[in-house]
Amino acid sequence: MYTVMLKAKLHMARVTHAVLNYEGSCAIDGDLLDMSGIRENEQIQIYNVENGQRFTTYAIRAEEGSQVISINGAAAHLAGPGDRVIICSYGHYSEAELDAHQPALVYLKEGNDVSHTSNAIPVQLA
């Protein structure tokens, strides 16, 4: 049996572009892809913090150091420049892999600069 677990997260990325007439996908700064472990053409989930939209697409590489987060194709109707989004990828892990699994969490600040990284989400307090 496999369990679907969070593999990687880019937290509070700022959308820089929305290109409707593109064949699809989400272009992400190559440095952020490498840091998070999200691979080109990997399925990703995008959660728009501004309007609650949630959608699935795939990642493509934008120029390293560009700080680009571009929502392309039909998804450009769901997120636009300036919106804050959370970008997640998930993986299927065997029971043997679960104990050692830690997601790659990349927290971003304004301008899509990295604030910090982590491998654990803090416990939510009451």
Side-chain angles (χ1 to χ4, degrees), residues 60-87:
I60 63 173
R61 183 173 289 272
E63 181 180 3
E64 286 78 6
S66 65
Q67 300 173 316
V68 163
I69 302 291
S70 183
I71 308 298
N72 300 322
H77 289 289
L78 305 176
D83 286 357
R84 291 176 302 153
V85 295
I86 300 168
I87 301 171

Side-chain angles (χ1 to χ4, degrees), residues 1-3 9 12-13 20 24 26 34-35 39 42 47 51 55 59 66 77 89 94 99 105 110-111 113-114:
M1 179 172 71
Y2 288 88
T3 303
K9 174 171 81 164
M12 294 301 181
L20 184 60
C26 176
D34 294 342
M35 186 176 288
R39 299 172 65 102
E42 182 173 352
Y47 312 123
N51 63 24
F55 53 96
S66 65
H77 289 289
S89 71
S94 70
D99 288 336
L105 310 174
E110 277 306 315
D113 290 318
V114 175

